[in-house]
Amino acid sequence: SQKIEQNSEALNIQEGKTATLTCNYTNYSPAYLQWYRQDPGRGPVFLLLIRENEKEKRKERLKVTFDTTLKQSLFHITASQPADSATYLCALDMKGGATNKLIFGTGTLLAVQP
Amino acid sequence: NAGVTQTPKFQVLKTGQSMTLQCAQDMNHNSMYWYRQDPGMGLRLIYYSASEGTTDKGEVPNGYNVSRLNKREFSLRLESAAPSQTSVYFCATRGLEQYFGPGTRLTVT
């Protein structure tokens, strides 16, 4: 069966450390993988997108890797801050393009302690 | 630009009542989506519309209907609400990335 898995348990880290979140999938071959941030009571907000032929993508303190052989994406936040505390969702995009559905993971709650 | 707007923000219904959730986008995107989000279940797609005039079922369509009124507006209707439909509902649109509305928190008693 097709599955997307993110750490269901909350990730607690100390301010200043690097947070690493994992997204694993089975029986999918996505063209793109996207990461979103969701704060309590709000809709998800797009952060980063990585294509299947890209190994790594960076944006400020954020870094995403995409290993299509392992079927895994890692999402890193360096020099983490309490303001980074939120739920982070990964989403698979099978074909790319605006008319296709995204398939979302259930998210990982990140808590950054001051 | 407002992006994606949803109304209402909160709603309480009794079992069997009906209601329509409204969604509008000003991003000129063709595709629009309705999701529900429940604790531990993540975002589940109810219906989507790839373009004006078309709608398709998602993962959990039972108990819902949709209308793509025009390019900007996509509404979700609950004809006879059930307690299992208590959830937070998000409308979204997308270019390559997806843009979500602020959500509607619905409680069915």
Side-chain angles (χ1 to χ4, degrees):
Chain A
S1 63
Q2 297 174 316
K3 243 180 351 179
I4 306 173
E5 289 184 335
Q6 295 187 253
N7 291 358
S8 57
E9 294 181 10
L11 179 63
N12 291 288
I13 65 165
Q14 212 61 33
E15 183 175 7
K17 301 291 187 187
T18 296
T20 299
L21 286 70
T22 305
C23 177
N24 294 301
Y25 58 93
T26 57
N27 296 329
Y28 288 113
S29 297
Y32 301 83
L33 193 143
Q34 303 188 13
W35 283 88
Y36 290 77
R37 169 184 173 140
Q38 186 173 23
D39 292 288
R42 310 191 77 156
V45 174
F46 171 77
L47 294 174
L48 274 174
L49 173 154
I50 187 165
R51 293 171 170 77
E52 61 178 333
N53 60 353
E54 296 177 313
K55 295 294 185 192
E56 183 180 297
K57 198 83 166 278
R58 291 176 185 261
K59 180 182 174 183
E60 297 172 354
R61 294 184 296 112
L62 308 180
K63 184 178 86 171
V64 172
T65 63
F66 192 13
D67 189 324
T68 55
T69 302
L70 288 179
K71 294 187 180 295
Q72 180 182 76
S73 175
L74 298 179
F75 178 81
H76 306 272
I77 306 175
T78 58
S80 59
Q81 305 164 0
D84 295 325
S85 299
T87 296
Y88 291 85
L89 306 169
C90 68
L92 306 185
D93 182 345
M94 294 302 116
K95 298 182 185 177
T99 59
N100 294 298
K101 300 173 286 184
L102 293 178
I103 303 167
F104 284 88
T106 53
T108 298
L109 177 62
L110 173 67
V112 181
Q113 311 297 334
Chain B
N1 290 348
V4 181
T5 58
Q6 289 181 237
T7 56
K9 285 189 167 47
F10 300 93
Q11 184 72 48
V12 178
L13 291 177
K14 291 188 184 333
T15 297
Q17 288 184 318
S18 62
M19 78 162 294
T20 299
L21 284 66
Q22 306 285 356
C23 174
Q25 54 108 355
D26 62 5
M27 307 182 79
N28 202 33
H29 289 155
N30 286 317
S31 56
M32 297 186 74
Y33 305 80
W34 275 106
Y35 294 89
R36 60 178 290 174
Q37 188 175 39
D38 304 288
M41 302 292 288
L43 283 163
R44 292 185 291 169
L45 184 65
I46 305 171
Y47 270 95
Y48 68 105
S49 171
S51 61
E52 187 179 350
T54 69
T55 60
D56 286 286
K57 295 178 181 179
E59 184 185 351
V60 288
N62 291 346
Y64 305 95
N65 285 301
V66 290
S67 295
R68 183 73 183 267
L69 304 169
N70 47 53
K71 189 171 185 178
R72 290 188 64 248
E73 298 173 287
F74 188 36
S75 63
L76 178 72
R77 183 158 178 85
L78 287 69
E79 289 292 350
S80 178
S84 61
Q85 294 178 305
T86 293
S87 188
V88 180
Y89 291 85
F90 289 104
C91 176
T93 183
R94 71 172 297 204
L96 195 52
E97 64 266 26
Q98 198 145 50
Y99 297 89
F100 287 83
T104 295
R105 187 172 294 276
L106 174 67
T107 301
V108 183
T109 61

